[in-house]
Amino acid sequence: MAALAWLLIPLFAVVGAAIWGSWASRNKTIGDVAELAGYARFRDAMERAHTTTPDSARPEREPATTAAPVTTSP
């Protein structure tokens, strides 16, 4: 019975290697089209988000005031 256990270990290793090998060599081109289309949509969204607005549409900002006036000693 012990000899059978020692023979099953390599058998399971071969079966596991065959499963992993078939999974690693699968055809991956099917998902690439969808991923590339998603990346193109992402780039378009980023370009739209970073478009510059005209100066007239930007709100004017007031300069920040300091708590105490800055003085220089002579």
Side-chain angles (χ1 to χ4, degrees), residues 10 20 37 40 43-44 54 62 67 69:
W20 179 84
R43 279 192 331 219
D44 292 340
E62 297 181 15

Side-chain angles (χ1 to χ4, degrees), residues 50-65:
H50 291 274
T51 57
T52 58
T53 57
D55 290 335
S56 61
R58 291 185 183 163
E60 293 295 325
R61 294 186 180 175
E62 297 181 15
T65 59

Side-chain angles (χ1 to χ4, degrees), residues 5-25:
W6 280 107
L7 290 175
L8 287 178
I9 293 171
L11 178 67
F12 287 139
V14 167
V15 170
I19 291 171
W20 179 84
S22 65
W23 177 79
S25 66

Side-chain angles (χ1 to χ4, degrees), residues 10-45:
L11 178 67
F12 287 139
V14 167
V15 170
I19 291 171
W20 179 84
S22 65
W23 177 79
S25 66
R26 71 189 186 283
N27 189 1
K28 299 174 192 167
T29 58
I30 296 171
D32 289 344
V33 175
E35 290 178 17
L36 290 174
Y39 179 65
R41 288 192 308 269
F42 172 75
R43 279 192 331 219
D44 292 340

